[in-house]
Amino acid sequence: MKHDAIAVIDFGGQYAHLITTKVRRHRVLAEILQPEDPIEKFTQYKGIIISGSPALSSHGEDSSYTKEIYDLDIPILGFCFGHQEIAKHYGGKVVHGGLEWGRADMHIVRDHPLFRGLGKVETVWMSHFDSVAEIGPDFEELGYTLLGDAGKVHHNAAIGSDKLKRYGFQYHPEVDDTIHGDEMIANFVKDICGCKDSWTMDNYIDEKVNAIRRQVGDQSVFLLASGGVDSTVAAKLFGMALGPDRLHMLHVDNGLMRKDESAGVLRMYEDLGLGNNLHFVSAADAFLEALGMEVEPEKKRAAIGNTFVEVFEREAKKLGIEDHLLGQGTIYPDTIETGGTKRADTIKTHHNRVPIIEKMIASGKVVEPLADLYKVEVRELGEKLGIPHDIVWRHPFPGPGLGVRLLCSDGNEDQNACDALVPDLQAAAGQYGLDAIVLPIKSVGVKADLRSYEHPVMFSGAADWNKLVEASGKVFKEVAGINRCIWNLSPNAPRSVRTLRATITQERLDLLREADHLMMEGLKRHGIYQDIWQCPTVLVPLEIDGEGKELCILRPIYSERAMTAAAAPLPTALIDELRDQILSLPGICGLAIDLTSKPPGTIEWE
Ligand code: XMP
């Protein structure tokens, strides 16, 4: 192998691919291997990292992998599931329990090369149901965590055996919320494995351009271009690789866009010199019809994804370019969240990963130059390609647009299931002096690499932001069946909440578009648009205290790669303005802000 390299074994954890990206950032090549790959494949690497997994190590799930890796004289480091597997293999004990979500303080037991240059206490990111209860004879505890609640000690957050060169982290150093995760990964890769930093990204654009030319051959590309940063960067790369005549672009107004979005997108492409073969189609009716009476998130997503393909094929036919390959600005989280690697759970089906597109991919009809990148890398690439800053740093907008921010219901929510959660909820939220109510509607989340579809809790009462976030952490830990907490911004605490029957309609879309517009304008007016990574505005069909028909929820978050996120507070003055503006929109009966990190929530509600 030309470069020193690390093998990352992908057990299907949501962050497995992120590990390779993080290693590569230290200019060391990292490659994904499958757990059942033959042992010969592993011997050429200078180190092995075992990823997390949706499987439970305590139950022996996914345990028939190439265990001969443990016989190799190559350092091995495991994260979460990988950590538990290493502990088990060397005589430790893994139990189902000791779960932790989100940020935790890890106390480092002694100076160790893995933690070189770090403090005695480090913030790490946890997301697990299983834990290592005992370690084997050759191992030592290198770190333990104390979670907020009265100093409860969680042992074996980090373990290691210098003799065997085997190490494990219960947490995820690869996610940005482990504040010094990068340093920990670099310490393993460089100090313990001895890798030299010879792999550079400087020729990345050339590599991509060549890859497009190889894949496309003498054909041409018809690119679905939403106007977001991903499809815009993809358009630039296609233009460089193929020249303007072999690139056609299609912008579809699916009726689920932001206020005045499509006109702005078309102007932007002209300004970027991409107007040569730019086509536009207004297809709002087709999308509304396809969404029909659907209320389930995955069915809505399927309807939207399929309609994109239908519209694309119709337009290609009209233009006489049916032979063109479909171009998409798909990025890595789109694939991983759709369960697109062998073991990953489907958290939600991204619009560019519906089965009909998967089929086209399998038959070589799709080209996606950004499919192994995260948003942060796409933005870096966009800057290198000279795309203006404002475009590169626009908030991401999901392909299904407002369709996944407009929750629907058949009106038959199970109130008894919500009532059953109340005693545990009161015990958890009571100590913070907050009123708490379970909302009779469900939203999508991700817990320990698995999809969840559970109820949100709404807190009412005065508290500072950190206390609210802490209270939400306690609820997630102690009340099963909750994956989101929101804070009521309306003047009164609700006494009764009822779910209403609702589907996607033009009237609801227009209302959400207006609320979203007020939110976006507010962020810009207060100069914080770029500090906030993304800010969905969501409508939930609820009647509160016998009035209105929509609860509006603001979802400002901080993130870097969208695989994790933290709720972002808004300035009080902005909240006051939004309260006045949004509560006076017709039909809105409440306003709240989302306090939920990802995990256990996701960024979008569906
Ligand atoms: P979640 O909600 O899973 O979202 O935390 C992660 C990021 O992905 C965006 N998103 C999508 N983007 N097509 C897209 O192009 C989709 O179907 C889709 N669904 C979610 C979401 O806005 C967030 O930035």
Side-chain angles (χ1 to χ4, degrees):
M1 200 171 262
K2 213 167 111 204
H3 303 278
D4 289 347
I6 298 289
V8 176
I9 308 182
D10 176 7
F11 272 93
Q14 290 292 304
Y15 314 126
H17 187 271
L18 188 50
I19 302 168
T20 62
T21 310
K22 288 295 179 107
V23 174
R24 287 175 180 198
R25 294 217 135 198
H26 297 291
R27 298 170 163 235
V28 172
L29 180 61
E31 293 180 330
I32 294 266
L33 268 69
Q34 295 306 313
E36 56 282 334
D37 276 343
I39 190 65
E40 298 72 45
K41 268 198 156 184
F42 290 91
T43 53
Q44 50 189 320
Y45 293 93
K46 292 200 77 168
I48 295 173
I49 295 179
I50 307 178
S51 82
S53 168
L56 290 176
S57 178
S58 60
H59 290 41
E61 289 172 5
D62 217 351
S63 59
S64 55
Y65 54 95
T66 306
K67 293 247 171 66
E68 293 93 318
I69 55 167
Y70 296 120
D71 302 330
L72 298 175
D73 184 24
I74 295 175
I76 303 180
L77 171 64
F79 302 157
C80 201
F81 174 86
H83 155 83
Q84 294 152 10
E85 283 298 299
I86 290 172
K88 220 163 63 175
H89 185 83
Y90 291 100
K93 190 169 159 202
V94 176
V95 295
H96 191 56
L99 73 138
E100 295 167 283
W101 301 122
R103 289 185 174 193
D105 287 337
M106 180 174 72
H107 294 250
I108 292 171
V109 173
R110 70 166 177 93
D111 284 345
H112 188 274
L114 276 175
F115 303 121
R116 193 171 49 83
L118 305 185
K120 293 240 169 295
V121 180
E122 287 291 330
T123 301
V124 298
W125 183 263
M126 295 285 189
S127 178
H128 62 105
F129 287 121
D130 282 355
S131 56
V132 174
E134 285 167 29
I135 51 178
D138 290 317
F139 278 72
E140 61 177 320
E141 178 177 73
L142 296 174
Y144 59 88
T145 50
L146 295 178
L147 220 62
D149 51 346
K152 184 165 183 262
V153 179
H154 294 256
H155 281 293
N156 300 322
I159 61 171
S161 163
D162 290 330
K163 181 175 126 197
L164 298 166
K165 286 187 264 165
R166 303 288 181 257
Y167 305 94
F169 296 161
Q170 180 55 77
Y171 53 94
H172 291 270
E174 71 277 26
V175 307
D176 303 316
D177 307 77
T178 295
I179 305 292
H180 293 118
D182 271 352
E183 287 84 344
M184 297 173 193
I185 289 173
N187 286 341
F188 174 70
V189 166
K190 292 186 177 169
D191 293 357
I192 293 183
C193 303
C195 291
K196 285 189 244 12
D197 51 358
S198 61
W199 192 80
T200 81
M201 292 275 276
D202 290 347
N203 51 6
Y204 194 75
I205 294 176
D206 287 344
E207 279 178 22
K208 279 285 161 204
V209 164
N210 288 333
I212 292 172
R213 286 188 184 137
R214 267 198 311 277
Q215 190 187 346
V216 175
D218 56 5
Q219 302 178 79
S220 299
V221 168
F222 193 14
L223 172 70
L224 272 174
S226 68
V229 58
D230 306 336
S231 55
T232 307
V233 169
K236 272 276 181 196
L237 283 175
F238 281 127
M240 286 170 73
L242 308 173
D245 295 339
R246 288 170 62 203
L247 172 65
H248 281 255
M249 288 167 53
L250 178 65
H251 177 69
V252 180
D253 180 358
N254 55 12
L256 311 169
M257 312 288 276
R258 291 203 150 115
K259 194 169 178 177
D260 303 328
E261 180 82 1
S262 284
V265 168
L266 296 175
R267 256 194 324 271
M268 172 192 82
Y269 284 139
E270 296 285 349
D271 293 347
L272 285 174
L274 291 165
N276 196 38
N277 286 316
L278 176 61
H279 311 281
F280 169 70
V281 60
S282 173
D285 291 349
F287 281 86
L288 257 188
E289 192 184 323
L291 281 161
M293 303 304 285
E294 295 298 2
V295 295
E296 283 181 27
E298 279 298 289
K299 289 195 176 148
K300 287 165 64 186
R301 285 177 163 269
I304 294 168
N306 291 341
T307 310
F308 265 119
V309 178
E310 280 164 30
V311 171
F312 171 82
E313 286 180 339
R314 202 179 321 133
E315 292 305 304
K317 200 164 174 194
K318 255 195 230 161
L319 294 163
I321 54 172
E322 301 105 298
D323 59 335
H324 283 31
L325 299 178
L326 164 62
Q328 297 200 115
T330 308
I331 60 173
Y332 192 74
D334 300 339
T335 313
I336 183 78
E337 294 221 332
T338 309
T341 61
K342 209 164 164 194
R343 289 169 166 78
D345 195 35
T346 300
I347 309 302
K348 47 184 75 170
T349 307
H350 283 225
H351 75 291
N352 39 22
R353 280 288 173 274
V354 288
I356 183 168
I357 293 200
E358 299 280 15
K359 251 198 206 153
M360 292 168 75
I361 293 173
S363 57
K365 292 198 176 119
V366 182
V367 48
E368 301 179 316
L370 309 178
D372 61 348
L373 298 185
Y374 290 87
K375 190 74 80 187
V376 64
E377 283 91 21
V378 174
R379 286 184 161 145
E380 233 172 75
L381 202 56
E383 302 260 18
K384 275 196 181 174
L385 290 167
I387 298 174
H389 185 85
D390 282 359
I391 298 172
V392 168
W393 290 95
R394 286 185 78 192
H395 282 194
F397 190 59
L402 301 182
V404 290
R405 297 178 179 178
L406 197 53
L407 269 63
C408 300
S409 171
D410 57 12
N412 297 323
E413 289 296 330
D414 182 358
Q415 190 57 50
N416 291 339
C418 296
D419 293 344
L421 303 175
V422 170
D424 281 351
L425 177 60
Q426 282 173 345
Q431 74 184 78
Y432 293 90
L434 294 164
D435 277 344
I437 181 168
V438 180
L439 297 182
I441 192 103
K442 285 181 178 161
S443 80
V444 178
V446 54
K447 286 184 170 175
D449 295 316
L450 294 167
R451 173 188 169 91
S452 70
Y453 190 48
E454 296 176 329
H455 294 283
V457 156
M458 178 152 82
F459 296 136
S460 296
D464 88 13
W465 181 259
N466 291 337
K467 281 279 166 224
L468 287 162
V469 171
E470 193 183 307
S472 71
K474 197 162 168 64
V475 167
F476 297 140
K477 222 174 142 224
E478 294 179 6
V479 190
I482 300 292
N483 64 1
R484 258 175 220 281
C485 287
I486 62 178
W487 183 39
N488 184 14
L489 301 176
S490 309
N492 301 316
R495 289 179 309 276
S496 70
V497 178
R498 189 167 74 92
T499 320
L500 301 175
R501 197 180 149 80
T503 54
I504 300 233
T505 61
Q506 191 63 53
E507 186 197 358
R508 293 188 76 213
L509 277 171
D510 288 342
L511 182 60
L512 176 55
R513 226 184 311 270
E514 198 51 42
D516 170 73
H517 179 66
L518 293 169
M519 178 74 243
M520 290 298 119
E521 291 299 300
L523 292 178
K524 288 176 192 157
R525 200 168 53 247
H526 284 257
I528 54 170
Y529 179 84
Q530 291 210 347
D531 302 333
I532 303 285
W533 195 83
Q534 191 177 14
C535 185
T537 299
V538 178
L539 290 188
V540 181
L542 294 176
E543 179 191 81
I544 299 180
D545 296 335
E547 290 194 15
K549 45 189 182 179
E550 308 281 358
L551 168 67
C552 178
I553 296 144
L554 313 173
R555 173 85 172 118
I557 54 123
Y558 299 128
S559 184
E560 196 178 21
R561 290 180 172 77
M563 298 303 292
T564 62
L570 296 178
T572 311
L574 175 56
I575 288 184
D576 290 342
E577 289 159 20
L578 291 169
R579 188 185 294 114
D580 284 349
Q581 293 171 328
I582 294 181
L583 285 179
S584 59
L585 294 174
I588 303 271
C589 52
L591 181 67
I593 185 167
D594 199 334
L595 303 164
T596 314
S597 55
K598 174 182 179 176
T602 46
I603 296 172
E604 307 287 349
W605 273 52
E606 290 193 332

